[in-house]
Amino acid sequence: MSKQDSSAKNTLSRRDFLKLLGGAGTALAFTPFVPWGNFMPNPDTTSLSKAKVILPDGTQANVNTFPVNHSEVITYPKTGDRVLDEEAFRKWQFIRLPPELGGEPKDVSAFRVYSMVCLHLWCLWKYWPQEGRKRGECPCHGSMYNVLIGKAFVGPASLQAPPSNVLATLYLEADNDGFLFIKPAKWDVNENGIVGYGRFLKT
Ligand code: FES
């Protein structure tokens, strides 16, 4: 085979490879019922149980002490393995709403928990409590999330079709002393949602 033939062949295979990649991407984008949980890095669904809301300082969050209009990063579900527990797909923004959005009552209604994985391209967003912001903001391409419902309202994530415009969430309960717990999650678009993919808002 001449040098020219062989380089033409290489070019062709590179092109074919790129086409294949493009095809796979398109197939994923248009497959509505992909069993995401089977291959996406969502936390294992088999061992989910009620868990304490543990703050970065190691204490359990309490409705009587957690500041209004404030957020911390929490991990769920925890495995006890430090490397696994650092996965972005286990990181959540635990938010106490600002007063004007209902953050003052000393009960679970004052709190929200959303997956930190942005629904656009999986950067990590966070809550900004400053006056004029009070919303989730993703540093990568500017998507912004409404903290009351977890829905993107600005940026590329807001242009995605449901359920990929609403963040996965966790639901809470409090004991008689105000200590907060995460209720066992179901990674389903009609329940807690799927981290990195989204959630249908309940009507
Ligand atoms: S990854 Fe968040 S806006 Fe693109």
Side-chain angles (χ1 to χ4, degrees):
M1 192 188 294
S2 75
K3 228 176 169 182
Q4 214 175 5
D5 286 346
S6 119
S7 95
K9 197 172 170 212
N10 284 341
T11 312
L12 200 65
S13 8
R14 268 201 303 276
R15 254 195 235 135
D16 286 350
F17 178 67
L18 289 174
K19 261 204 275 180
L20 261 179
L21 270 186
T26 309
L28 277 178
F30 290 101
T31 306
F33 299 114
V34 175
W36 297 99
N38 292 350
F39 61 91
M40 284 180 68
N42 262 289
D44 186 356
T45 53
T46 56
S47 58
L48 293 179
S49 52
K50 184 167 140 178
K52 294 176 179 176
V53 176
I54 299 296
L55 299 174
D57 67 3
T59 63
Q60 185 175 2
N62 189 299
V63 298
N64 299 307
T65 53
F66 194 83
V68 173
N69 192 29
H70 181 71
S71 74
E72 294 285 355
V73 178
I74 62 170
T75 304
Y76 179 86
K78 277 196 172 178
T79 65
D81 177 313
R82 272 174 51 197
V83 175
L84 282 180
D85 286 351
E86 282 312 308
E87 285 176 347
F89 276 61
R90 296 177 192 275
K91 296 300 175 194
W92 302 79
Q93 282 279 289
F94 172 71
I95 301 164
R96 188 165 196 161
L97 298 168
E100 65 274 30
L101 294 180
E104 279 175 328
K106 291 190 166 60
D107 59 45
V108 293
S109 72
F111 294 83
R112 295 291 186 277
V113 189
Y114 299 116
S115 163
M116 288 183 71
V117 177
C118 178
L119 294 168
H120 178 224
L121 290 174
W122 294 2
C123 286
L124 295 187
W125 66 273
K126 72 168 194 162
Y127 177 63
W128 289 88
Q130 288 83 351
E131 209 42 59
R133 291 171 95 172
K134 299 187 180 177
R135 61 196 175 209
E137 295 180 14
C138 179
C140 289
H141 315 98
S143 289
M144 293 184 192
Y145 294 95
N146 169 320
V147 282
L148 267 182
I149 55 174
K151 185 175 180 185
F153 65 97
V154 167
S158 70
L159 303 176
Q160 297 178 160
S164 292
N165 57 350
V166 179
L167 295 160
T169 191
L170 296 174
Y171 299 109
L172 300 171
E173 64 186 38
D175 69 11
N176 290 338
D177 297 319
F179 285 106
L180 286 162
F181 295 82
I182 298 161
K183 295 184 184 178
K186 286 190 191 131
W187 307 130
D188 181 302
V189 288
N190 293 305
E191 302 280 349
N192 294 76
I194 296 175
V195 173
Y197 180 60
R199 168 173 61 102
F200 284 116
L201 280 177
K202 288 183 180 152
T203 48

mmCIF file of all heavy atoms in Angstrom, residues 143-190:
data_model
loop_
_atom_site.group_PDB
_atom_site.id
_atom_site.type_symbol
_atom_site.label_atom_id
_atom_site.label_comp_id
_atom_site.label_asym_id
_atom_site.label_seq_id
_atom_site.Cartn_x
_atom_site.Cartn_y
_atom_site.Cartn_z
ATOM 1 N N SER A 143 -26.110 29.325 34.046
ATOM 2 C CA SER A 143 -27.466 28.905 34.407
ATOM 3 C C SER A 143 -27.765 29.342 35.836
ATOM 4 O O SER A 143 -26.883 29.325 36.699
ATOM 5 C CB SER A 143 -27.616 27.380 34.298
ATOM 6 O OG SER A 143 -27.604 26.996 32.948
ATOM 7 N N MET A 144 -29.012 29.730 36.069
ATOM 8 C CA MET A 144 -29.429 30.141 37.417
ATOM 9 C C MET A 144 -30.650 29.335 37.815
ATOM 10 O O MET A 144 -31.524 29.040 36.981
ATOM 11 C CB MET A 144 -29.785 31.625 37.444
ATOM 12 C CG MET A 144 -28.588 32.508 37.214
ATOM 13 S SD MET A 144 -29.067 34.229 37.386
ATOM 14 C CE MET A 144 -27.597 35.018 36.727
ATOM 15 N N TYR A 145 -30.707 29.001 39.103
ATOM 16 C CA TYR A 145 -31.773 28.147 39.620
ATOM 17 C C TYR A 145 -32.573 28.871 40.695
ATOM 18 O O TYR A 145 -31.994 29.506 41.583
ATOM 19 C CB TYR A 145 -31.174 26.867 40.197
ATOM 20 C CG TYR A 145 -30.537 25.988 39.151
ATOM 21 C CD1 TYR A 145 -29.166 26.054 38.895
ATOM 22 C CD2 TYR A 145 -31.309 25.108 38.401
ATOM 23 C CE1 TYR A 145 -28.580 25.253 37.922
ATOM 24 C CE2 TYR A 145 -30.733 24.300 37.422
ATOM 25 C CZ TYR A 145 -29.367 24.377 37.194
ATOM 26 O OH TYR A 145 -28.795 23.581 36.238
ATOM 27 N N ASN A 146 -33.881 28.736 40.595
ATOM 28 C CA ASN A 146 -34.816 29.260 41.581
ATOM 29 C C ASN A 146 -34.733 28.346 42.820
ATOM 30 O O ASN A 146 -34.915 27.132 42.698
ATOM 31 C CB ASN A 146 -36.206 29.194 40.918
ATOM 32 C CG ASN A 146 -37.339 29.443 41.867
ATOM 33 O OD1 ASN A 146 -37.333 28.993 43.010
ATOM 34 N ND2 ASN A 146 -38.341 30.151 41.388
ATOM 35 N N VAL A 147 -34.475 28.937 43.996
ATOM 36 C CA VAL A 147 -34.253 28.067 45.164
ATOM 37 C C VAL A 147 -35.536 27.520 45.776
ATOM 38 O O VAL A 147 -35.490 26.594 46.565
ATOM 39 C CB VAL A 147 -33.450 28.753 46.296
ATOM 40 C CG1 VAL A 147 -31.994 28.784 45.970
ATOM 41 C CG2 VAL A 147 -34.003 30.079 46.669
ATOM 42 N N LEU A 148 -36.672 28.078 45.407
ATOM 43 C CA LEU A 148 -37.924 27.540 45.954
ATOM 44 C C LEU A 148 -38.264 26.190 45.344
ATOM 45 O O LEU A 148 -38.747 25.297 46.036
ATOM 46 C CB LEU A 148 -39.076 28.502 45.667
ATOM 47 C CG LEU A 148 -39.420 29.521 46.728
ATOM 48 C CD1 LEU A 148 -40.613 30.351 46.268
ATOM 49 C CD2 LEU A 148 -39.732 28.849 48.063
ATOM 50 N N ILE A 149 -38.000 26.037 44.035
ATOM 51 C CA ILE A 149 -38.411 24.791 43.370
ATOM 52 C C ILE A 149 -37.277 24.080 42.638
ATOM 53 O O ILE A 149 -37.463 22.982 42.133
ATOM 54 C CB ILE A 149 -39.592 25.038 42.408
ATOM 55 C CG1 ILE A 149 -39.255 26.137 41.399
ATOM 56 C CG2 ILE A 149 -40.858 25.382 43.185
ATOM 57 C CD1 ILE A 149 -40.334 26.323 40.327
ATOM 58 N N GLY A 150 -36.122 24.719 42.545
ATOM 59 C CA GLY A 150 -34.983 24.071 41.889
ATOM 60 C C GLY A 150 -35.029 24.121 40.380
ATOM 61 O O GLY A 150 -34.350 23.349 39.704
ATOM 62 N N LYS A 151 -35.834 25.046 39.846
ATOM 63 C CA LYS A 151 -35.982 25.111 38.386
ATOM 64 C C LYS A 151 -35.045 26.171 37.803
ATOM 65 O O LYS A 151 -34.944 27.278 38.339
ATOM 66 C CB LYS A 151 -37.434 25.478 38.061
ATOM 67 C CG LYS A 151 -37.739 25.462 36.585
ATOM 68 C CD LYS A 151 -39.221 25.717 36.349
ATOM 69 C CE LYS A 151 -39.515 25.688 34.866
ATOM 70 N NZ LYS A 151 -40.887 26.039 34.569
ATOM 71 N N ALA A 152 -34.384 25.819 36.688
ATOM 72 C CA ALA A 152 -33.513 26.785 36.019
ATOM 73 C C ALA A 152 -34.378 27.857 35.364
ATOM 74 O O ALA A 152 -35.375 27.538 34.713
ATOM 75 C CB ALA A 152 -32.662 26.082 34.976
ATOM 76 N N PHE A 153 -33.984 29.123 35.554
ATOM 77 C CA PHE A 153 -34.789 30.192 34.949
ATOM 78 C C PHE A 153 -33.967 31.093 34.039
ATOM 79 O O PHE A 153 -34.519 31.964 33.372
ATOM 80 C CB PHE A 153 -35.530 31.011 36.026
ATOM 81 C CG PHE A 153 -34.625 31.781 36.950
ATOM 82 C CD1 PHE A 153 -34.358 33.132 36.708
ATOM 83 C CD2 PHE A 153 -34.041 31.174 38.043
ATOM 84 C CE1 PHE A 153 -33.536 33.856 37.557
ATOM 85 C CE2 PHE A 153 -33.203 31.889 38.896
ATOM 86 C CZ PHE A 153 -32.949 33.225 38.650
ATOM 87 N N VAL A 154 -32.667 30.911 34.011
ATOM 88 C CA VAL A 154 -31.783 31.678 33.121
ATOM 89 C C VAL A 154 -30.709 30.713 32.632
ATOM 90 O O VAL A 154 -30.334 29.796 33.361
ATOM 91 C CB VAL A 154 -31.103 32.845 33.901
ATOM 92 C CG1 VAL A 154 -29.954 33.468 33.105
ATOM 93 C CG2 VAL A 154 -32.101 33.931 34.279
ATOM 94 N N GLY A 155 -30.202 30.940 31.418
ATOM 95 C CA GLY A 155 -29.053 30.180 30.937
ATOM 96 C C GLY A 155 -29.434 28.879 30.268
ATOM 97 O O GLY A 155 -30.617 28.533 30.167
ATOM 98 N N PRO A 156 -28.419 28.140 29.812
ATOM 99 C CA PRO A 156 -28.688 26.955 28.987
ATOM 100 C C PRO A 156 -29.533 25.891 29.674
ATOM 101 O O PRO A 156 -30.336 25.230 29.010
ATOM 102 C CB PRO A 156 -27.291 26.420 28.644
ATOM 103 C CG PRO A 156 -26.332 27.145 29.510
ATOM 104 C CD PRO A 156 -26.973 28.423 29.940
ATOM 105 N N ALA A 157 -29.387 25.726 30.984
ATOM 106 C CA ALA A 157 -30.196 24.689 31.654
ATOM 107 C C ALA A 157 -31.683 25.041 31.584
ATOM 108 O O ALA A 157 -32.545 24.162 31.557
ATOM 109 C CB ALA A 157 -29.755 24.507 33.099
ATOM 110 N N SER A 158 -31.988 26.348 31.536
ATOM 111 C CA SER A 158 -33.401 26.765 31.508
ATOM 112 C C SER A 158 -34.031 26.481 30.150
ATOM 113 O O SER A 158 -35.246 26.485 30.012
ATOM 114 C CB SER A 158 -33.532 28.253 31.833
ATOM 115 O OG SER A 158 -33.024 29.034 30.766
ATOM 116 N N LEU A 159 -33.188 26.263 29.132
ATOM 117 C CA LEU A 159 -33.720 26.015 27.783
ATOM 118 C C LEU A 159 -33.937 24.527 27.519
ATOM 119 O O LEU A 159 -34.464 24.146 26.484
ATOM 120 C CB LEU A 159 -32.756 26.579 26.729
ATOM 121 C CG LEU A 159 -32.451 28.078 26.890
ATOM 122 C CD1 LEU A 159 -31.413 28.533 25.885
ATOM 123 C CD2 LEU A 159 -33.732 28.902 26.745
ATOM 124 N N GLN A 160 -33.508 23.692 28.445
ATOM 125 C CA GLN A 160 -33.660 22.247 28.256
ATOM 126 C C GLN A 160 -35.101 21.838 28.580
ATOM 127 O O GLN A 160 -35.745 22.405 29.469
ATOM 128 C CB GLN A 160 -32.663 21.505 29.146
ATOM 129 C CG GLN A 160 -31.223 21.842 28.749
ATOM 130 C CD GLN A 160 -30.158 21.192 29.609
ATOM 131 O OE1 GLN A 160 -29.038 21.094 29.166
ATOM 132 N NE2 GLN A 160 -30.474 20.770 30.819
ATOM 133 N N ALA A 161 -35.552 20.821 27.865
ATOM 134 C CA ALA A 161 -36.929 20.353 28.071
ATOM 135 C C ALA A 161 -37.038 19.636 29.415
ATOM 136 O O ALA A 161 -36.070 19.014 29.865
ATOM 137 C CB ALA A 161 -37.303 19.406 26.945
ATOM 138 N N PRO A 162 -38.214 19.695 30.062
ATOM 139 C CA PRO A 162 -38.419 18.917 31.281
ATOM 140 C C PRO A 162 -38.161 17.434 31.004
ATOM 141 O O PRO A 162 -38.464 16.986 29.896
ATOM 142 C CB PRO A 162 -39.899 19.145 31.606
ATOM 143 C CG PRO A 162 -40.261 20.410 30.886
ATOM 144 C CD PRO A 162 -39.385 20.447 29.658
ATOM 145 N N PRO A 163 -37.594 16.663 31.906
ATOM 146 C CA PRO A 163 -37.309 17.066 33.279
ATOM 147 C C PRO A 163 -35.936 17.698 33.465
ATOM 148 O O PRO A 163 -35.517 17.929 34.585
ATOM 149 C CB PRO A 163 -37.342 15.712 34.006
ATOM 150 C CG PRO A 163 -36.779 14.744 33.001
ATOM 151 C CD PRO A 163 -37.301 15.230 31.675
ATOM 152 N N SER A 164 -35.221 18.009 32.352
ATOM 153 C CA SER A 164 -33.826 18.443 32.489
ATOM 154 C C SER A 164 -33.664 19.934 32.738
ATOM 155 O O SER A 164 -32.614 20.516 32.456
ATOM 156 C CB SER A 164 -33.039 17.999 31.257
ATOM 157 O OG SER A 164 -32.934 16.586 31.271
ATOM 158 N N ASN A 165 -34.720 20.562 33.273
ATOM 159 C CA ASN A 165 -34.594 21.962 33.688
ATOM 160 C C ASN A 165 -34.893 22.129 35.186
ATOM 161 O O ASN A 165 -34.966 23.249 35.682
ATOM 162 C CB ASN A 165 -35.531 22.863 32.863
ATOM 163 C CG ASN A 165 -36.976 22.431 32.966
ATOM 164 O OD1 ASN A 165 -37.279 21.358 33.499
ATOM 165 N ND2 ASN A 165 -37.880 23.257 32.462
ATOM 166 N N VAL A 166 -35.059 21.021 35.885
ATOM 167 C CA VAL A 166 -35.343 21.077 37.332
ATOM 168 C C VAL A 166 -34.401 20.104 38.051
ATOM 169 O O VAL A 166 -34.283 18.935 37.649
ATOM 170 C CB VAL A 166 -36.816 20.692 37.629
ATOM 171 C CG1 VAL A 166 -37.091 20.718 39.122
ATOM 172 C CG2 VAL A 166 -37.772 21.645 36.907
ATOM 173 N N LEU A 167 -33.761 20.599 39.097
ATOM 174 C CA LEU A 167 -32.743 19.806 39.808
ATOM 175 C C LEU A 167 -33.357 18.678 40.638
ATOM 176 O O LEU A 167 -34.460 18.828 41.188
ATOM 177 C CB LEU A 167 -31.966 20.718 40.760
ATOM 178 C CG LEU A 167 -31.126 21.811 40.088
ATOM 179 C CD1 LEU A 167 -30.828 22.921 41.090
ATOM 180 C CD2 LEU A 167 -29.844 21.218 39.509
ATOM 181 N N ALA A 168 -32.600 17.599 40.761
ATOM 182 C CA ALA A 168 -32.980 16.546 41.710
ATOM 183 C C ALA A 168 -32.986 17.148 43.118
ATOM 184 O O ALA A 168 -32.238 18.082 43.408
ATOM 185 C CB ALA A 168 -31.982 15.394 41.630
ATOM 186 N N THR A 169 -33.838 16.600 43.973
ATOM 187 C CA THR A 169 -33.997 17.166 45.306
ATOM 188 C C THR A 169 -33.992 16.058 46.355
ATOM 189 O O THR A 169 -34.110 14.874 46.021
ATOM 190 C CB THR A 169 -35.318 17.970 45.377
ATOM 191 O OG1 THR A 169 -35.351 18.729 46.582
ATOM 192 C CG2 THR A 169 -36.549 17.065 45.324
ATOM 193 N N LEU A 170 -33.839 16.453 47.612
ATOM 194 C CA LEU A 170 -34.004 15.520 48.730
ATOM 195 C C LEU A 170 -35.071 16.097 49.641
ATOM 196 O O LEU A 170 -35.184 17.320 49.782
ATOM 197 C CB LEU A 170 -32.685 15.358 49.502
ATOM 198 C CG LEU A 170 -31.514 14.735 48.730
ATOM 199 C CD1 LEU A 170 -30.239 14.770 49.575
ATOM 200 C CD2 LEU A 170 -31.832 13.300 48.304
ATOM 201 N N TYR A 171 -35.855 15.209 50.248
ATOM 202 C CA TYR A 171 -36.903 15.662 51.165
ATOM 203 C C TYR A 171 -36.458 15.413 52.598
ATOM 204 O O TYR A 171 -35.735 14.451 52.887
ATOM 205 C CB TYR A 171 -38.210 14.941 50.835
ATOM 206 C CG TYR A 171 -38.673 15.244 49.426
ATOM 207 C CD1 TYR A 171 -38.622 14.268 48.423
ATOM 208 C CD2 TYR A 171 -39.124 16.523 49.079
ATOM 209 C CE1 TYR A 171 -39.023 14.550 47.119
ATOM 210 C CE2 TYR A 171 -39.518 16.809 47.773
ATOM 211 C CZ TYR A 171 -39.472 15.828 46.803
ATOM 212 O OH TYR A 171 -39.857 16.128 45.513
ATOM 213 N N LEU A 172 -36.920 16.299 53.484
ATOM 214 C CA LEU A 172 -36.427 16.292 54.865
ATOM 215 C C LEU A 172 -37.541 16.004 55.860
ATOM 216 O O LEU A 172 -38.716 16.230 55.577
ATOM 217 C CB LEU A 172 -35.844 17.676 55.203
ATOM 218 C CG LEU A 172 -34.677 18.163 54.331
ATOM 219 C CD1 LEU A 172 -34.372 19.621 54.654
ATOM 220 C CD2 LEU A 172 -33.440 17.291 54.548
ATOM 221 N N GLU A 173 -37.132 15.560 57.046
ATOM 222 C CA GLU A 173 -38.043 15.558 58.189
ATOM 223 C C GLU A 173 -37.241 15.957 59.414
ATOM 224 O O GLU A 173 -36.002 15.866 59.421
ATOM 225 C CB GLU A 173 -38.713 14.193 58.361
ATOM 226 C CG GLU A 173 -37.788 13.061 58.687
ATOM 227 C CD GLU A 173 -38.537 11.715 58.700
ATOM 228 O OE1 GLU A 173 -39.431 11.513 57.865
ATOM 229 O OE2 GLU A 173 -38.197 10.879 59.553
ATOM 230 N N ALA A 174 -37.961 16.442 60.450
ATOM 231 C CA ALA A 174 -37.281 16.879 61.672
ATOM 232 C C ALA A 174 -37.820 16.070 62.841
ATOM 233 O O ALA A 174 -39.005 15.696 62.852
ATOM 234 C CB ALA A 174 -37.540 18.363 61.906
ATOM 235 N N ASP A 175 -36.967 15.795 63.821
ATOM 236 C CA ASP A 175 -37.481 15.113 65.018
ATOM 237 C C ASP A 175 -37.977 16.167 66.021
ATOM 238 O O ASP A 175 -37.957 17.377 65.729
ATOM 239 C CB ASP A 175 -36.427 14.150 65.603
ATOM 240 C CG ASP A 175 -35.235 14.875 66.224
ATOM 241 O OD1 ASP A 175 -35.309 16.122 66.398
ATOM 242 O OD2 ASP A 175 -34.238 14.202 66.538
ATOM 243 N N ASN A 176 -38.404 15.721 67.194
ATOM 244 C CA ASN A 176 -39.004 16.651 68.164
ATOM 245 C C ASN A 176 -38.025 17.708 68.655
ATOM 246 O O ASN A 176 -38.429 18.753 69.151
ATOM 247 C CB ASN A 176 -39.540 15.871 69.372
ATOM 248 C CG ASN A 176 -40.746 15.058 68.955
ATOM 249 O OD1 ASN A 176 -41.386 15.381 67.951
ATOM 250 N ND2 ASN A 176 -41.046 13.992 69.710
ATOM 251 N N ASP A 177 -36.742 17.427 68.539
ATOM 252 C CA ASP A 177 -35.732 18.408 68.961
ATOM 253 C C ASP A 177 -35.251 19.285 67.812
ATOM 254 O O ASP A 177 -34.328 20.095 67.985
ATOM 255 C CB ASP A 177 -34.526 17.677 69.573
ATOM 256 C CG ASP A 177 -34.926 16.914 70.825
ATOM 257 O OD1 ASP A 177 -35.720 17.468 71.614
ATOM 258 O OD2 ASP A 177 -34.480 15.757 70.983
ATOM 259 N N GLY A 178 -35.850 19.122 66.647
ATOM 260 C CA GLY A 178 -35.491 19.970 65.508
ATOM 261 C C GLY A 178 -34.349 19.430 64.665
ATOM 262 O O GLY A 178 -33.934 20.090 63.697
ATOM 263 N N PHE A 179 -33.826 18.254 64.988
ATOM 264 C CA PHE A 179 -32.738 17.706 64.175
ATOM 265 C C PHE A 179 -33.285 17.207 62.838
ATOM 266 O O PHE A 179 -34.357 16.589 62.786
ATOM 267 C CB PHE A 179 -32.032 16.564 64.921
ATOM 268 C CG PHE A 179 -31.145 17.070 66.027
ATOM 269 C CD1 PHE A 179 -31.537 16.937 67.359
ATOM 270 C CD2 PHE A 179 -29.942 17.704 65.735
ATOM 271 C CE1 PHE A 179 -30.736 17.421 68.380
ATOM 272 C CE2 PHE A 179 -29.134 18.190 66.755
ATOM 273 C CZ PHE A 179 -29.523 18.049 68.074
ATOM 274 N N LEU A 180 -32.514 17.496 61.794
ATOM 275 C CA LEU A 180 -32.994 17.205 60.440
ATOM 276 C C LEU A 180 -32.450 15.896 59.883
ATOM 277 O O LEU A 180 -31.273 15.548 60.102
ATOM 278 C CB LEU A 180 -32.613 18.361 59.512
ATOM 279 C CG LEU A 180 -33.470 19.612 59.719
ATOM 280 C CD1 LEU A 180 -32.794 20.835 59.120
ATOM 281 C CD2 LEU A 180 -34.862 19.430 59.121
ATOM 282 N N PHE A 181 -33.333 15.210 59.155
ATOM 283 C CA PHE A 181 -33.009 13.934 58.517
ATOM 284 C C PHE A 181 -33.433 13.999 57.052
ATOM 285 O O PHE A 181 -34.414 14.661 56.706
ATOM 286 C CB PHE A 181 -33.770 12.786 59.189
ATOM 287 C CG PHE A 181 -33.379 12.561 60.622
ATOM 288 C CD1 PHE A 181 -33.925 13.346 61.630
ATOM 289 C CD2 PHE A 181 -32.453 11.576 60.952
ATOM 290 C CE1 PHE A 181 -33.559 13.152 62.959
ATOM 291 C CE2 PHE A 181 -32.080 11.366 62.276
ATOM 292 C CZ PHE A 181 -32.638 12.159 63.288
ATOM 293 N N ILE A 182 -32.702 13.252 56.222
ATOM 294 C CA ILE A 182 -33.069 13.113 54.806
ATOM 295 C C ILE A 182 -33.926 11.854 54.680
ATOM 296 O O ILE A 182 -33.525 10.773 55.131
ATOM 297 C CB ILE A 182 -31.805 12.957 53.936
ATOM 298 C CG1 ILE A 182 -30.933 14.212 54.059
ATOM 299 C CG2 ILE A 182 -32.170 12.676 52.482
ATOM 300 C CD1 ILE A 182 -29.495 13.993 53.635
ATOM 301 N N LYS A 183 -35.083 12.010 54.059
ATOM 302 C CA LYS A 183 -35.922 10.829 53.833
ATOM 303 C C LYS A 183 -35.291 9.982 52.723
ATOM 304 O O LYS A 183 -34.681 10.546 51.795
ATOM 305 C CB LYS A 183 -37.319 11.259 53.396
ATOM 306 C CG LYS A 183 -38.099 12.011 54.448
ATOM 307 C CD LYS A 183 -39.481 12.274 53.869
ATOM 308 C CE LYS A 183 -40.331 13.106 54.789
ATOM 309 N NZ LYS A 183 -41.647 13.394 54.200
ATOM 310 N N PRO A 184 -35.460 8.665 52.777
ATOM 311 C CA PRO A 184 -34.866 7.811 51.737
ATOM 312 C C PRO A 184 -35.273 8.306 50.349
ATOM 313 O O PRO A 184 -36.445 8.596 50.105
ATOM 314 C CB PRO A 184 -35.462 6.439 52.025
ATOM 315 C CG PRO A 184 -35.833 6.488 53.463
ATOM 316 C CD PRO A 184 -36.224 7.910 53.757
ATOM 317 N N ALA A 185 -34.285 8.422 49.456
ATOM 318 C CA ALA A 185 -34.554 8.983 48.123
ATOM 319 C C ALA A 185 -34.883 7.886 47.120
ATOM 320 O O ALA A 185 -34.444 6.750 47.262
ATOM 321 C CB ALA A 185 -33.331 9.761 47.655
ATOM 322 N N LYS A 186 -35.682 8.282 46.111
ATOM 323 C CA LYS A 186 -35.943 7.383 44.969
ATOM 324 C C LYS A 186 -35.469 8.112 43.717
ATOM 325 O O LYS A 186 -36.004 9.184 43.388
ATOM 326 C CB LYS A 186 -37.442 7.108 44.842
ATOM 327 C CG LYS A 186 -37.953 6.171 45.905
ATOM 328 C CD LYS A 186 -39.383 5.731 45.593
ATOM 329 C CE LYS A 186 -39.967 5.025 46.803
ATOM 330 N NZ LYS A 186 -41.281 5.502 47.198
ATOM 331 N N TRP A 187 -34.466 7.525 43.062
ATOM 332 C CA TRP A 187 -33.902 8.200 41.883
ATOM 333 C C TRP A 187 -34.788 7.956 40.675
ATOM 334 O O TRP A 187 -34.550 7.088 39.854
ATOM 335 C CB TRP A 187 -32.473 7.710 41.620
ATOM 336 C CG TRP A 187 -31.553 7.805 42.778
ATOM 337 C CD1 TRP A 187 -30.754 6.826 43.250
ATOM 338 C CD2 TRP A 187 -31.294 8.946 43.615
ATOM 339 N NE1 TRP A 187 -30.037 7.281 44.336
ATOM 340 C CE2 TRP A 187 -30.355 8.572 44.579
ATOM 341 C CE3 TRP A 187 -31.783 10.251 43.661
ATOM 342 C CZ2 TRP A 187 -29.889 9.448 45.569
ATOM 343 C CZ3 TRP A 187 -31.335 11.123 44.648
ATOM 344 C CH2 TRP A 187 -30.396 10.722 45.563
ATOM 345 N N ASP A 188 -35.826 8.736 40.605
ATOM 346 C CA ASP A 188 -36.826 8.608 39.543
ATOM 347 C C ASP A 188 -37.256 10.035 39.199
ATOM 348 O O ASP A 188 -37.406 10.859 40.110
ATOM 349 C CB ASP A 188 -38.009 7.802 40.129
ATOM 350 C CG ASP A 188 -39.107 7.577 39.123
ATOM 351 O OD1 ASP A 188 -39.666 8.563 38.574
ATOM 352 O OD2 ASP A 188 -39.442 6.414 38.901
ATOM 353 N N VAL A 189 -37.459 10.318 37.916
ATOM 354 C CA VAL A 189 -37.801 11.689 37.509
ATOM 355 C C VAL A 189 -39.113 12.174 38.122
ATOM 356 O O VAL A 189 -39.367 13.376 38.182
ATOM 357 C CB VAL A 189 -37.864 11.848 35.973
ATOM 358 C CG1 VAL A 189 -36.475 11.800 35.372
ATOM 359 C CG2 VAL A 189 -38.774 10.814 35.356
ATOM 360 N N ASN A 190 -39.953 11.241 38.568
ATOM 361 C CA ASN A 190 -41.214 11.644 39.200
ATOM 362 C C ASN A 190 -41.136 11.622 40.721
ATOM 363 O O ASN A 190 -42.145 11.852 41.390
ATOM 364 C CB ASN A 190 -42.346 10.732 38.733
ATOM 365 C CG ASN A 190 -42.635 10.943 37.265
ATOM 366 O OD1 ASN A 190 -42.890 12.070 36.841
ATOM 367 N ND2 ASN A 190 -42.542 9.891 36.482
#
